[in-house]
Amino acid sequence: MAVEQKSLDVMVFAPALVGDEKRPLVIAQRMERALPGLRLEWTTSEKDDLIALPNRDEGIATDKANGGFFFLCNDDENHPVILSGWENPAGLAADGPPHFQVSASLPLDSAGIAAAVDVLEAIGEGARAFWGHVSPEGYGVELAQQTRHSSSDPDVSPRGLPAIGLPRDIPAPEIPHFLGWLNYWSAAAARAIGFPDPARDAELLSRSRRTATGGWVVRLTDAPLDLNNSAHLDALQRAYERFPEIGGRSSP
């Protein structure tokens, strides 16, 4: 029996911070606007005790911890929301430079699901991300089974999804490494994978939103992905077939 998922995980991948960057503060403020009533005005101690941040905006603007910004959260144990960002030393593509990675978590409830598109757009646009996704907690396990580490690995995952490559197999940073439930594609990412094509993408376009910068937020299924649901698995399979560039499976 599948374990019930409790949260929605958000992740976006962007160019590394340089100099006196405003992106960390913009991300926090936009995420708060995207989720009504949210205040990310707390962090945690090493003992996981909540610590109030009366000067949060100033702290984010001045403390670029780990090439990003410190852990932020709300003060609601029943509906926890978190946000953090850091510099990842790995490149998003072959021989690429370090990148800025932003992670957030929303409750997997009606309010979190309803706000997920807005939150992904807010974080993706605020970070000036190449690409990103929202997927149910635990989706990384599926991705690990889908990732091909060497030529001897199988071409498909245990669920029959196509094998995806490592960053060294990705020719450019704007090419997404994988598909999630909700997908943020910058304008550059959309061009790299050939989205949208009106003749082939009518179904996806019916569940997509254009962003202010010319990117897209694309929803694969109405409800969060459940790969034990054959209709969801089919939708994910069709999306991989439509975009062979994703995961470094072919050159754009």
Side-chain angles (χ1 to χ4, degrees), residues 2-103:
V3 177
E4 182 181 358
Q5 304 296 344
K6 299 297 184 182
S7 68
L8 287 169
D9 293 338
V10 186
M11 190 76 73
V12 307
F13 305 87
L17 300 180
V18 179
D20 186 21
E21 284 266 11
K22 307 300 183 186
R23 281 185 283 166
L25 180 56
V26 169
I27 291 165
Q29 292 174 337
R30 289 190 179 187
M31 184 173 176
E32 288 177 329
R33 290 197 293 268
L35 193 56
L38 175 64
R39 295 304 297 168
L40 294 166
E41 295 180 336
W42 287 264
T43 189
T44 58
S45 69
E46 293 181 357
K47 296 181 179 180
D48 290 332
D49 295 323
L50 277 178
I51 301 172
L53 296 170
N55 300 311
R56 186 207 65 183
D57 287 3
E58 180 181 348
I60 293 175
T62 58
D63 182 2
K64 303 298 192 299
N66 302 314
F69 59 95
F70 47 77
F71 179 93
L72 297 168
C73 63
N74 63 345
D75 183 18
D76 187 344
E77 292 183 353
N78 294 320
H79 300 89
V81 178
I82 66 171
L83 174 68
S84 61
W86 64 94
E87 182 177 283
N88 187 322
L92 288 171
D95 301 318
H99 65 276
F100 178 40
Q101 192 164 325
V102 182
S103 174

Side-chain angles (χ1 to χ4, degrees), residues 158-171:
R159 294 186 187 272
L161 294 168
I164 54 178
L166 296 168
R168 68 186 183 215
D169 303 310
I170 309 296

Side-chain angles (χ1 to χ4, degrees), residues 201-235:
D201 295 328
E203 181 181 0
L204 286 177
L205 283 169
S206 71
R207 291 195 297 272
S208 300
R209 176 193 292 180
R210 193 78 183 267
T211 74
T213 61
W216 294 87
V217 178
V218 179
R219 183 196 304 258
L220 293 191
T221 55
D222 291 334
L225 272 177
D226 174 3
L227 297 188
N228 293 314
N229 180 325
S230 61
H232 286 201
L233 187 61
D234 288 347

